[in-house]
Amino acid sequence: MEDYFTPEIINTILTVLVIPLLGLMAKAMVSYTRREIAHLEEKIGAEAVNTLLNRAGDAIESAVIAVNQTFVEALKQQGSFDAAAMEKAFKLAKEKAMTLLGETAKTELSLVLGDLEAWIETKIEVYVNRNKQL
């Protein structure tokens, strides 16, 4: 039995089997690490986008509530809330929302959403409708 495991045979076995296995294991580890990094980057990116969208939604909701309290309710009490006043209230809410967002958030949102103004206009309509139901 000792004749079968001479230093030359052991060296050959290591060279032929173990070294390629180590190479395959290293390749698998690198591949696994890359997949995990990509997954974490995707998760972090999604969380950042969700945080940005939530902040923007809060800003728009705040703008709608503020315009409702300072402009719309006063006109409704006077009985002069008509289509022109409704349009003005919408514009005021949009301007206030854009101001609350700030330039950095507007830039980031434009990258994520594309047409930021259309998104803000839609969100204003959503929050106005929600406030009517309350």
Side-chain angles (χ1 to χ4, degrees):
M1 212 30 134
E2 291 179 18
D3 294 335
Y4 292 115
F5 293 108
T6 64
E8 291 174 358
I9 292 177
I10 293 173
N11 192 18
T12 303
I13 290 172
L14 287 175
T15 304
V16 172
L17 295 176
V18 175
I19 292 175
L21 285 176
L22 289 174
L24 288 173
M25 286 176 51
K27 184 177 179 182
M29 290 295 291
V30 168
S31 179
Y32 172 78
T33 304
R34 285 184 181 157
R35 278 194 314 272
E36 287 300 308
I37 289 171
H39 175 71
L40 286 174
E41 286 174 345
E42 184 178 310
K43 183 178 177 182
I44 290 168
E47 288 175 4
V49 168
N50 287 338
T51 299
L52 180 62
L53 290 173
N54 287 336
R55 281 186 18 229
D58 290 344
I60 295 167
E61 184 177 26
S62 297
V64 167
I65 291 169
V67 169
N68 187 52
Q69 287 179 337
T70 60
F71 181 73
V72 174
E73 286 183 10
L75 290 178
K76 283 183 177 180
Q77 287 176 353
Q78 297 171 2
S80 59
F81 188 71
D82 56 6
M86 190 182 305
E87 188 175 323
K88 184 172 182 178
F90 183 84
K91 287 180 182 177
L92 286 171
K94 184 177 174 183
E95 289 171 7
K96 187 174 272 305
M98 294 292 258
T99 301
L100 289 172
L101 286 174
E103 292 304 316
T104 303
K106 286 191 280 189
T107 302
E108 292 171 352
L109 284 166
S110 293
L111 293 173
V112 172
L113 300 169
D115 191 352
L116 176 62
E117 288 197 28
W119 184 79
I120 289 174
E121 290 169 1
T122 302
K123 282 294 192 181
I124 288 171
E125 293 293 340
V126 167
Y127 289 120
V128 166
N129 190 31
R130 281 187 190 165
N131 284 341
K132 283 182 185 177
Q133 294 175 2
L134 295 178

